Amino acid sequence: MTTTHTTGSTLGADDLDLLVAVLETILPGDDEMPPASKTGAAHAIDGYLTERPALRAPFLDALVAIRITAHAHGGEFGALPEASRVATLEAVEAAHPHAFDTLLVQAYTGYYTDPNVQADRKSTRLNSSHVKRSRMP
């Protein structure tokens, strides 16, 4: 991944870059929802880590484990093919479940509380209910 993020309150630029690549893998988006890497999720997570010091150690442990495991799969996480990124995350989840769960909860929280995602979710719900009603006899 070539994008370089500025240093956050808790996470450095390298950690933010890794986090964005992880978010892109976990929450890639689809036709109706944006990919997590295109939201403010990474910076929101950085803020959560600043506000909640108890989350820092397991979260940072997960990032370290992802870095180490990615290198075992062939390189830096963001540069790996999707299958290797997924395999890396699965290996980290199996080896470090508490740390990975902390990362995953923060990823989902950062993503689903992003205003753009919430707007897309509302739009999707409205469109879905409209489609369901229009199919009724």
Side-chain angles (χ1 to χ4, degrees):
M1 177 163 255
T2 57
T3 303
T4 301
H5 292 85
T6 59
T7 301
S9 298
T10 298
L11 301 175
D14 288 345
D15 286 339
L16 283 169
D17 285 345
L18 174 59
L19 178 56
V20 169
V22 168
L23 292 172
E24 180 75 19
T25 305
I26 294 171
L27 295 158
D30 59 22
D31 292 339
E32 297 175 355
M33 301 292 286
S37 62
K38 302 294 184 208
T39 69
H43 287 286
I45 293 167
D46 183 54
Y48 301 153
L49 297 176
T50 300
E51 295 167 3
R52 298 173 184 93
L55 296 174
R56 289 181 198 157
F59 190 91
L60 294 172
D61 287 349
L63 291 183
V64 168
I66 290 167
R67 261 194 195 92
I68 292 168
T69 307
H71 283 283
H73 281 101
E76 294 206 20
F77 184 83
L80 295 175
E82 180 181 4
S84 295
R85 290 192 315 267
V86 170
T88 295
L89 294 178
E90 289 172 345
V92 171
E93 180 179 27
H96 307 278
H98 174 67
F100 189 81
D101 285 349
T102 300
L103 182 141
L104 195 60
V105 167
Q106 298 315 306
Y108 288 139
T109 301
Y111 181 74
Y112 286 109
T113 59
D114 183 89
N116 293 324
V117 173
Q118 293 215 349
D120 285 345
R121 287 181 66 208
K122 182 178 179 183
S123 172
T124 300
R125 283 194 305 266
L126 291 174
N127 289 339
S128 296
S129 63
H130 173 73
V131 170
K132 288 178 185 173
R133 278 186 293 215
S134 68
R135 291 185 183 170
M136 295 174 68

